[in-house]
Amino acid sequence: MFRIKPVLIRPVVNNFVTRNSLQRSSFVVQTCRAASSSSLGDNFTFLNQMYSDLSQSSWVMNTQHLLETVHDYTHLPWWATIVVTTVSLRLAITLPLAAYQHSIYSRLENLKPEMEGILKELKKETDRAVVMYKWDAKTAKLAFHKSAKKQWNLLVQRDNCHAFKATVLLWGQIPLWVCMSVALRNMAMMLPVQTVDAQLIYLSLSSGGFGWIPNLTDVDHSLILPVSMSLANLAIIQLQVMNKVGATSRLANTIMNVLRVLCVVMIPIAAYAPADVALYWTVSSFYGLTQNFVLLSPTFRRFFRIPVTPLERPHPYQHILNQIKAHRIFQ
């Protein structure tokens, strides 16, 4: 008799199922890879197109034209042209905006004592309303907060110091930073179009450096500029921390730590940027540090018509020096 061995059939069926499963899995993997590659390609295309539009925008082209004009009329080397243009633009644009920002913050600070008196009166009125109109705790709380918000808004309108106005510095400084960075990168890489003028500027930048960076179209191999830029930005953060009055909230500490990390992250980014861009970033950072020092001085604050506040230190530089001597830099 012939005996059927079912065990011999199982491997055949299993092999068939396995091959089909592998084929389906391979098809799914290939489809996912194709979709992923297509998605990444679309994202890179979008980013490239966005940067191309930015590099050819009128803002960037006008900034590049300004740099060329300063270089042609002053006959300065390119490194000096970048320094002079950076400092001039920061003095003309960001210094007035920073002074205005400090003025808004000072006016808001001076409203707090007046608001505290108003809150005491509102608390008394709320307590009387609870007795007269039989309000519950929730109704009383809502009425108190609504009245307090209304009174605060009236004070802000009276002194013309809405907190959103303090963001005006960002709206001036960020576009300036972007336009200068993209314009200098265009000049160092003959972008957006390699015309004869672009090639001449490129050749001029190639010999317009100084010291350890004779070629401004190349990167700073010594990393002096990237590290200096990062140290200047860290110094700005620490200056704000040391001049802070009172306890610092957990959110403020978190923001400061994030900014410190960003300062370090900017080192490799600046290391891969052309030297003219890294030079601009470094000069701009050191100017920002100087500007923050100047705006601490009561004399300069009165010159810029920044109101006196209870938190203003009469001798801010001595206070910072004492903080450094006491090793409280990172508190």
Side-chain angles (χ1 to χ4, degrees):
M1 294 179 66
F2 295 98
R3 294 182 179 180
I4 299 175
K5 298 180 179 180
V7 69
L8 296 177
I9 301 176
R10 291 175 60 91
V12 176
V13 175
N14 286 343
N15 289 338
F16 177 76
V17 173
T18 303
R19 285 197 299 270
N20 285 347
S21 299
L22 289 174
Q23 290 175 358
R24 287 196 298 270
S25 300
S26 177
F27 175 76
V28 171
V29 169
Q30 292 176 1
T31 304
C32 292
R33 286 178 177 175
S36 178
S37 300
S38 176
S39 177
L40 289 174
D42 292 341
N43 290 336
F44 281 123
T45 302
F46 171 75
L47 292 175
N48 288 334
Q49 183 61 41
M50 185 173 65
Y51 182 82
S52 177
D53 293 340
L54 176 62
S55 65
Q56 300 179 54
S57 64
S58 59
W59 288 80
V60 172
M61 299 309 295
N62 289 334
T63 303
Q64 184 172 334
H65 179 68
L66 173 64
L67 288 164
E68 296 172 10
T69 302
V70 173
H71 178 262
D72 293 339
Y73 277 90
T74 61
H75 302 289
L76 293 170
W78 268 112
W79 70 267
T81 300
I82 295 171
V83 172
V84 169
T85 306
T86 301
V87 174
S88 299
L89 288 175
R90 291 295 302 266
L91 283 171
I93 298 175
T94 61
L95 180 58
L97 295 180
Y100 181 72
Q101 181 189 59
H102 280 257
S103 178
I104 295 295
Y105 285 147
S106 296
R107 281 184 255 173
L108 287 172
E109 187 65 33
N110 288 335
L111 288 180
K112 290 181 180 179
E114 186 176 355
M115 188 61 192
E116 289 176 0
I118 293 175
L119 290 178
K120 292 179 181 179
E121 293 297 326
L122 287 177
K123 184 66 171 61
K124 294 178 181 178
E125 292 181 5
T126 303
D127 292 340
R128 286 195 293 266
V130 169
V131 176
M132 293 177 61
Y133 304 110
K134 307 300 181 182
W135 286 354
D136 56 13
K138 183 178 180 180
T139 303
K141 185 177 180 180
L142 288 175
F144 176 80
H145 285 297
K146 185 177 180 180
S147 299
K149 183 178 180 180
K150 182 179 180 181
Q151 293 297 325
W152 175 255
N153 290 334
L154 289 174
L155 292 177
V156 168
Q157 292 176 10
R158 185 195 68 189
D159 289 2
N160 192 21
C161 57
H162 195 283
F164 183 77
K165 292 184 177 181
T167 64
V168 67
L169 178 61
L170 296 177
W171 302 112
Q173 187 167 328
I174 292 178
L176 174 62
W177 188 87
V178 171
C179 289
M180 282 288 291
S181 300
V182 176
L184 288 168
R185 186 177 184 274
N186 284 351
M187 296 164 67
M189 304 184 72
M190 292 184 287
L191 296 175
V193 182
Q194 294 186 9
T195 61
V196 175
D197 291 337
Q199 293 176 3
L200 291 175
I201 293 173
Y202 176 84
L203 292 174
S204 181
L205 281 171
S206 299
S207 58
F210 67 96
W212 69 93
I213 47 169
N215 183 0
L216 292 178
T217 64
D218 195 7
V219 299
D220 181 10
H221 298 281
S222 67
L223 298 181
I224 293 177
L225 290 178
V227 173
S228 300
M229 175 202 67
S230 179
L231 291 176
N233 290 330
L234 287 172
I236 293 174
I237 296 172
Q238 295 310 127
L239 183 65
Q240 300 296 327
V241 172
M242 289 188 292
N243 196 57
K244 182 71 176 176
V245 178
T248 306
S249 65
R250 181 179 298 179
L251 176 61
N253 288 330
T254 302
I255 293 174
M256 289 299 177
N257 290 330
V258 170
L259 292 176
R260 291 187 182 107
V261 172
L262 289 177
C263 290
V264 178
V265 170
M266 283 297 295
I267 294 178
I269 296 176
Y272 279 96
D276 61 343
V277 178
L279 176 62
Y280 163 67
W281 289 351
T282 305
V283 173
S284 182
S285 295
F286 274 98
Y287 171 86
L289 178 60
T290 305
Q291 178 177 281
N292 277 271
F293 264 109
V294 168
L295 289 175
L296 290 177
S297 169
T299 302
F300 279 96
R301 291 176 72 86
R302 301 298 84 78
F303 176 79
F304 292 118
R305 298 182 179 180
I306 300 174
V308 181
T309 67
L311 300 181
E312 183 177 306
R313 299 183 186 278
H315 304 288
Y317 305 127
Q318 185 62 44
H319 170 76
I320 293 172
L321 184 61
N322 293 337
Q323 290 273 36
I324 295 174
K325 289 181 178 179
H327 304 289
R328 296 176 181 174
I329 300 177
F330 295 101
Q331 289 188 356

